[in-house]
Amino acid sequence: MTEPAADPGAAETASVQVLLLAQPLLCQGLRRLLAEASPPCRVAADPSELEGAPQLLIWSLEAPIHPGNLLLELERLEQRWLPAPLLLLLPAESGCSNDWLLQLPVAGLLQQPEPEVLLQAVGTLLQGGRVVALDGDSLSSAAAQPGGSWAAETMGLGQWLLISGLQQIDLELELGRRLLDPPPANLLLQLILEGRQRELGTARALLIWLWGPLSMAWGAAARPPEPKTPAHEPRPPSGGSTAITLRQRTAVAVWEAIHQRLSQASQGPLLRQDSAELFALEGLSQERRRDLFLALLSQLDQLLRQLRQERLRGDDLQGRWQGLQPELRRQALRQMAGPYVQLPQQGALLPVADTLTSQGSFDLDDPEMPSSQPMLAALLTAQPLLVDGRLLAPDEPQALLYLEALVSNWVIRSAESISADVLASCGDWPELRRYLLVKELIATRSLERLRNQLNAQQRWSEWFEKPIRLYESQRRLYRLEEGGMICPLLLTEPRDQELRQLGWLQQGVTLALEARDALAPQLRALLQRAGDLIVVVLTQVIGRAIGLVGRGILQGLGRGISRP
């Protein structure tokens, strides 16, 4: 008589055991919570309670600890319990920045999670995935690093003078803006205030030119500095939350996570944040902007599936990607405009999608677009990425956020190119404006003013801003944040070949930058010596002369009083 075979699924479920490192009171609550997980977990609070190796390791921190000690303990746990994934539970005040926490060697990273989130994270980690859920940074100063001090970084005299001067000027500029909005009834007072604003703007530009970095020296005076990462790759915003869930550590799972995050961000307003740059994309209505972003993401998803089947590599993959870009943008425009929508134009009904695609220029390449080879290699074959001087797998949190920045930059720049063609078509098609554009651009004058501003901005960027970025080896990227805001950032990479291809006017801008680098220290030293000379003249020459004259006057008065 044979015994019935055991259910392999039930045996596998019963074999799941978790090693939990936490305070006794918290350990009891987590033990009861994890017993309800799927699959149920047998929790061991001490290594002696384990029956073999654990399938998951959970470490809950009650209070912040020094980053160096935290990193050391994580490395010890990883070496002892490998290959069990490690889930680190952080308190509300972690004492570290999100940028540094993302570099920790853990598979899961949760900050004060809810019970449902914790259970989902445990299930994901047991399936071989990754989970990251961090709130905004709790540090107001520089992030604590291993082996470093938690104290705020001290500033030099020149940096302090620059920052304090800019703060005072910005306060005066803000006060002037408030006095001018609305403009005063007295015309003379209005002219005085406007002159004061121009004077403050000139003083701010001069202060930045003398003491500021190169990235600020030739920018607009009233424009706030763009967010710039200190490293060579984009990083997640230090003030926002970070939530990443990977079901598996494959290229397909990485793309699905990026696709989901960008699709959720596309539900926002899709407007620029802290930037004076105009976007043709903002001319579209919010619904059309969302449809265009979702259409581009959908077309990119289909393109990646096609490239996975073709299994191209190297230059062949790059050429195939470039060859499919025009058709991808054309299909995205058709999906945004609606394939069956017809609008009247000069007494006849015309299909909107066919008309726009026939008038658009989809073959133009954006020179500011970075090379797509690293992005494609990571999303198709899970090849490592170079992030902050380290080769990271695409499933690492930092690498995934870097890939997300590259994908969002491609989506935003492609949407900007399509939006510019749509604005050009709306100039001769009034009915199309009500269907695609915001209400402010229905008027012909408003639409033409925006197009002229965009053309002027493009020429200014091509003649002046582009050579500055090339000379400083920087490339501007656009990141789509969680709230649906478009945030610019700078990526540092060599661009010497593009620098040698500039025209004579653009090379003149780079020569002016080089002259500024050479003359600014000498001018600063000259002004300092002139100031020292003025101090000597005022104190040693004029001051002593005034003192001698005053002494003579007092002596003369004393003699006159002493006479009978």
Side-chain angles (χ1 to χ4, degrees):
M1 183 175 182
T2 60
E3 296 181 358
D7 187 2
E12 183 180 0
T13 301
S15 64
V16 175
Q17 57 180 349
V18 177
L19 177 58
L20 178 59
L21 305 177
Q23 296 295 330
L25 184 60
L26 180 61
C27 185
Q28 296 178 5
L30 291 178
R31 187 191 297 268
R32 291 192 298 267
L33 177 64
L34 293 176
E36 303 174 359
S38 179
C41 301
R42 189 172 66 85
V43 180
D46 188 84
S48 60
E49 303 177 6
L50 293 173
E51 298 178 358
Q55 279 74 35
L56 178 63
L57 179 63
I58 301 178
W59 183 18
S60 178
L61 296 179
E62 292 296 323
I65 63 176
H66 191 275
N69 298 335
L70 175 61
L71 184 60
L72 181 61
E73 292 296 331
L74 290 175
E75 291 176 352
R76 291 176 179 176
L77 292 174
E78 182 184 16
Q79 292 174 3
R80 180 176 180 182
W81 301 108
L82 195 70
L86 175 59
L87 174 59
L88 181 61
L89 304 181
L90 299 172
E93 299 293 335
S94 62
C96 302
S97 68
N98 289 358
D99 294 345
W100 187 79
L101 290 174
L102 292 176
Q103 304 177 25
L104 295 177
V106 294
L109 193 61
L110 302 179
Q111 187 172 10
Q112 203 175 12
E114 297 292 336
E116 296 80 6
V117 177
L118 180 58
L119 292 177
Q120 294 177 1
V122 169
T124 301
L125 294 178
L126 291 176
Q127 296 175 3
R130 280 184 177 272
V131 176
V132 175
L134 298 176
D135 297 334
D137 285 345
S138 59
L139 295 181
S140 58
S141 59
Q145 300 293 338
S149 174
W150 285 11
E153 182 182 359
T154 58
M155 294 185 299
L157 178 60
Q159 188 179 4
W160 179 82
L161 291 174
L162 172 64
I163 294 178
S164 61
L166 290 179
Q167 290 177 349
Q168 295 176 10
I169 292 176
D170 289 340
L171 289 177
E172 294 293 333
L173 285 172
E174 182 63 25
L175 178 59
R177 295 190 191 100
R178 293 179 180 178
L179 294 176
L180 287 172
D181 188 17
N186 192 339
L187 180 60
L188 180 60
L189 179 58
Q190 179 180 355
L191 294 177
I192 293 175
L193 291 175
E194 292 177 351
R196 176 62 174 170
Q197 293 292 96
R198 290 192 296 269
E199 179 184 358
L200 290 172
T202 304
R204 189 179 191 276
L206 180 61
L207 187 63
I208 292 176
W209 190 85
L210 289 176
W211 299 98
L214 287 178
S215 59
M216 298 173 62
W218 294 87
R223 179 182 301 180
E226 293 182 345
K228 179 180 176 182
T229 56
H232 296 287
E233 280 79 22
R235 293 189 175 188
S238 59
S241 59
T242 304
I244 302 173
T245 301
L246 281 179
R247 298 301 178 185
Q248 297 177 350
R249 302 187 183 185
T250 61
V252 177
V254 170
W255 163 243
E256 290 177 353
I258 294 176
H259 190 185
Q260 181 181 3
R261 286 171 56 87
L262 293 180
S263 298
Q264 293 176 356
S266 300
Q267 304 300 324
L270 299 176
L271 300 174
R272 66 184 186 274
Q273 178 182 11
D274 297 335
S275 176
E277 184 178 6
L278 290 175
F279 284 97
L281 180 65
E282 296 181 351
L284 302 181
S285 62
Q286 182 175 352
E287 182 180 358
R288 302 307 170 196
R289 289 197 297 267
R290 183 184 67 249
D291 294 343
L292 181 56
F293 270 66
L294 294 178
L296 286 170
L297 289 173
S298 175
Q299 293 297 323
L300 180 59
D301 181 51
Q302 298 179 14
L303 177 58
L304 291 178
R305 294 181 181 179
Q306 178 180 349
L307 294 178
R308 289 193 190 98
Q309 297 177 357
E310 296 178 358
R311 298 184 178 180
L312 300 176
R313 296 292 185 274
D315 296 337
D316 296 336
L317 177 61
Q318 182 74 15
R320 182 63 171 165
W321 166 266
Q322 295 294 340
L324 292 176
Q325 290 299 298
E327 183 62 24
L328 186 150
R329 296 172 184 172
R330 186 177 291 106
Q331 293 300 326
L333 177 58
R334 292 181 60 88
Q335 186 174 344
M336 183 270 293
Y340 305 108
V341 176
Q342 294 183 351
L343 292 178
Q345 183 185 22
Q346 297 180 356
L349 286 176
L350 296 180
V352 175
D354 295 339
T355 306
L356 291 179
T357 52
S358 63
Q359 296 178 355
S361 54
F362 304 99
D363 298 331
L364 299 179
D365 294 331
D366 191 350
E368 289 297 317
M369 193 82 73
S371 176
S372 58
Q373 184 67 29
M375 179 183 70
L376 294 176
L379 294 178
L380 296 178
T381 59
Q383 291 188 8
L385 283 170
L386 185 62
V387 183
D388 288 347
R390 299 184 302 159
L391 281 176
L392 300 178
D395 59 275
E396 293 287 341
Q398 281 188 309
L400 189 142
L401 292 174
Y402 177 46
L403 277 174
E404 182 183 330
L406 295 179
V407 174
S408 62
N409 177 72
W410 176 85
V411 172
I412 293 171
R413 289 191 175 274
S414 300
E416 180 70 10
S417 176
I418 295 174
S419 301
D421 293 336
V422 170
L423 291 181
S425 300
C426 289
D428 300 329
W429 197 344
E431 290 79 6
L432 189 61
R433 304 175 196 171
R434 299 181 180 179
Y435 178 62
L436 295 179
L437 304 185
V438 295
K439 296 181 180 180
E440 292 78 8
L441 296 182
I442 295 179
T444 304
R445 180 181 178 182
S446 301
L447 178 61
E448 294 302 324
R449 181 170 60 246
L450 175 61
R451 292 180 59 190
N452 292 332
Q453 291 175 351
L454 290 173
N455 293 333
Q457 176 182 272
Q458 182 179 4
R459 287 191 294 267
W460 176 265
S461 177
E462 182 72 19
W463 292 345
F464 298 100
E465 294 182 355
K466 179 181 178 180
I468 294 175
R469 289 196 296 268
L470 292 179
Y471 187 68
E472 296 180 351
S473 300
Q474 293 177 347
R475 188 186 300 274
R476 180 182 295 173
L477 301 182
Y478 296 102
R479 177 195 292 274
L480 183 60
E481 304 293 349
E482 290 187 3
M485 304 302 293
I486 299 176
C487 179
L489 50 88
L490 295 178
L491 172 66
T492 302
E493 62 179 11
R495 306 184 67 180
D496 298 341
Q497 184 176 0
E498 300 176 63
L499 185 61
R500 289 190 290 267
Q501 299 175 356
L502 295 178
W504 63 270
L505 177 60
Q506 298 168 323
Q507 291 181 358
V509 176
T510 60
L511 291 176
L513 283 176
E514 187 174 358
R516 185 259 184 184
D517 296 340
L519 296 178
Q522 301 178 10
L523 179 60
R524 189 181 300 116
L526 178 61
L527 293 177
Q528 183 177 1
R529 293 180 181 178
D532 296 340
L533 179 60
I534 293 174
V535 170
V536 171
V537 171
L538 291 176
T539 58
Q540 300 297 329
V541 180
I542 300 179
R544 288 188 177 182
I546 294 175
L548 292 175
V549 172
R551 185 180 303 176
I553 294 175
L554 292 177
Q555 290 178 357
L557 291 176
R559 291 176 183 176
I561 295 174
S562 62
R563 290 179 182 177

